[in-house]
Amino acid sequence: MGRSYYVEEAVEKYFYKRIQQQQKGFITGLIIGQSSAQREFVLLAAQTPHKEDQREGNTVKPALSKLDEIDEDWVSSHASQVSRMLPGGLLVLGVFLITSPELSKDSQNALRKLIFAVEKSSMKNRLWSFDDNDVCDRAALHICSATKKITCRTFDVKDPKVRAPAKPADWKYQSSTLSWLTIDCNVRLDLTVPRLSAASSYQEQQKCTRAGTSKWAKEIDDVTLIFNGRVKDIDGDLLDEKKSSRSSSFSNSQTITANILRPCLTNNDSRSTALVQVCKSSVTFKGIVRCRAYVHTNKPKVRDAVQVLKRDLVDTVSNRCEILFEDLLLNGPQNDDEQELCLLPQRVFVPIAGSNVTLCDYAFGDETAEDLHQRFLEMLDQDVQSDGLVFAEEKYTETNNEEKLATDIPCLENLKIDQPDTSKKNPASLRSSHRMSILIAVVVAVIAALFSFQYLLD
């Protein structure tokens, strides 16, 4: 039996609108939602944005007419950007393809290629991997623009080398809005990543930072989460029995507060994992990270909540680093100081119409609400309102107090590149210092011998 996809009614209206606007050719896009062991929940669909060469001013050129003209790299790049804009618990579940009847016969091969290309791009810079409990099936949805017929199949993307056959799946539109639980968590971050090489290019710094945050991401696996101040069994239900029975009446607005506890090494017999390394400089992350994740109210488990929140924490730190280095590579640093303080982009939450789920994006201090509006419209095909933007962290204000600047920036992450003192003693001074040490040692030995001889004579 195939997978079942429970789809928001808004997605059905979105597809109908796109079919009405389509003239000829095809339309590609992404399917966004949450995967669970029992079923999949589809929250959004987002059309692939048009490339610049497909636009003439404010108009779009005629659609491409052959499926082999699909630009897989462009669709994959879109998926990578969208993945950054999803909070914990949401991911790209698959792709959709709307075609005219004459192109329908080649749709499955085109969807197969897109599925694996999108999955590879989405997982490229992630610092976590799927475990045995994750569902590795991805949806390939085809819609005929003339007959409105929907065909949904799934492909197993766990091993791209294995050409697994497509499996049929059920695509079920829901008349009621899907209900979600919101999990919020604030995490104070103080992470130092050593740079072992002397290279100062931003490419090398990005590579080194990614390696350091990868080690940190593995440490996050060992943390303990408590929900609403209570420790819960990892295999138990996230909601209490009484609340679970009444979840349908209030789940659309329910928020759970989580706290992350790191393990404390109190056992003296435990072996230390501390590592001493000689490094040229270091990158330090300080600040408070705002995490947010969602789980569907269909019998949510504690294990599911722990997983999506940990992944959101790792993703938001990793995404901000990637965005910062991309900006530095394109625009360069704001100043040429040897010891540079770079602010990571702020996280911005944006609500979805008709749902309590919020999407997210990252904005630098000089970006306006209009910039965010245009990005959501282009990437997710969502027309958000400026007054609906919620900044997860407070605005940063500069201060002349260097100590406060380096150690206490409330509600804002920052990246600090510490350049060490590179002055080294020359070999001649090292030899002189060595000789002086030997001379002092000889004098001390002679004095000790004289005292011992005098003591024996007495």
Side-chain angles (χ1 to χ4, degrees), residues 14 18 21-24 26-28 46-64 71 74-75 78 377-379 381:
Y14 179 84
R18 290 293 164 263
Q21 295 176 349
Q22 183 189 13
Q23 298 175 354
K24 294 181 180 179
F26 58 85
I27 297 176
T28 60
Q47 178 182 346
T48 306
H50 296 284
K51 301 176 70 172
E52 291 297 329
D53 56 3
Q54 293 178 325
R55 295 180 180 272
E56 291 180 350
N58 294 327
T59 61
V60 180
K61 292 182 179 180
L64 301 175
D71 191 339
W74 183 253
V75 178
H78 177 224
L377 189 60
E378 181 181 11
M379 291 292 139
D381 219 356

Side-chain angles (χ1 to χ4, degrees), residues 183 225-227 230-239 295 299-309:
I183 308 173
L225 270 73
I226 58 176
F227 299 95
R230 296 174 55 191
V231 179
K232 297 193 174 185
D233 182 11
I234 192 67
D235 295 318
D237 294 328
L238 181 62
L239 294 176
V295 291
K299 300 179 180 179
K301 297 293 184 180
V302 174
R303 183 181 301 276
D304 299 330
V306 169
Q307 183 189 74
V308 296
L309 198 60

Side-chain angles (χ1 to χ4, degrees), residues 77-261:
S77 177
H78 177 224
S80 180
Q81 294 293 325
V82 168
S83 295
R84 289 179 175 179
M85 305 173 77
L86 302 179
L90 300 184
L91 72 159
V92 177
L93 292 178
V95 297
F96 69 83
L97 178 63
I98 303 175
T99 69
S100 55
E102 56 269 18
L103 297 178
S104 297
K105 61 180 181 179
D106 298 326
S107 61
Q108 182 168 328
N109 290 332
L111 284 168
R112 177 191 290 273
K113 293 178 181 178
L114 287 177
I115 284 289
F116 286 97
V118 164
E119 187 66 21
K120 181 179 179 181
S121 176
S122 299
M123 294 297 297
K124 183 178 180 181
N125 292 324
R126 282 184 182 170
L127 301 184
W128 51 267
S129 301
F130 288 122
D131 56 28
D132 295 336
N133 296 323
D134 284 300
V135 178
C136 295
D137 289 343
R138 294 293 175 263
L141 185 72
H142 174 253
I143 304 175
C144 178
S145 59
T147 64
K148 311 296 190 297
K149 180 182 178 181
I150 293 179
T151 304
C152 184
R153 297 183 176 89
T154 60
F155 294 93
D156 188 350
V157 297
K158 190 173 185 179
D159 189 356
K161 297 180 180 179
V162 178
R163 190 178 177 84
K167 295 176 289 186
D170 293 330
W171 188 265
K172 303 177 180 179
Y173 289 114
Q174 305 297 299
S175 58
S176 58
T177 304
L178 298 177
S179 56
W180 304 87
L181 289 174
T182 306
I183 308 173
D184 278 338
C185 180
N186 292 334
V187 181
R188 181 172 293 277
L189 185 66
D190 188 356
L191 172 65
T192 299
V193 177
R195 281 179 49 204
L196 305 182
S197 64
S200 58
S201 67
Y202 286 117
Q203 290 89 343
E204 290 294 331
Q205 293 181 25
Q206 184 180 25
K207 182 179 179 181
C208 179
T209 302
R210 187 179 297 142
T213 51
S214 297
K215 295 180 181 178
W216 166 78
K218 294 179 180 178
E219 296 176 2
I220 297 300
D221 290 338
D222 298 329
V223 303
T224 300
L225 270 73
I226 58 176
F227 299 95
N228 290 337
R230 296 174 55 191
V231 179
K232 297 193 174 185
D233 182 11
I234 192 67
D235 295 318
D237 294 328
L238 181 62
L239 294 176
D240 296 333
E241 293 183 1
K242 294 182 180 179
K243 291 184 178 181
S244 179
S245 62
R246 297 183 289 111
S247 62
S248 59
S249 61
F250 66 90
S251 57
N252 283 337
S253 60
Q254 185 177 7
T255 300
I256 297 177
T257 302
N259 298 96
I260 292 182
L261 305 178

Side-chain angles (χ1 to χ4, degrees), residues 436-449:
M436 183 62 68
S437 300
I438 295 176
L439 179 60
I440 293 175
V442 171
V443 172
V444 171
V446 171
I447 294 175

Side-chain angles (χ1 to χ4, degrees), residues 273-287:
T273 58
L275 179 64
V276 178
Q277 291 179 306
V278 178
C279 62
K280 301 298 181 181
S281 62
S282 63
V283 178
T284 301
F285 304 89
K286 284 180 178 290

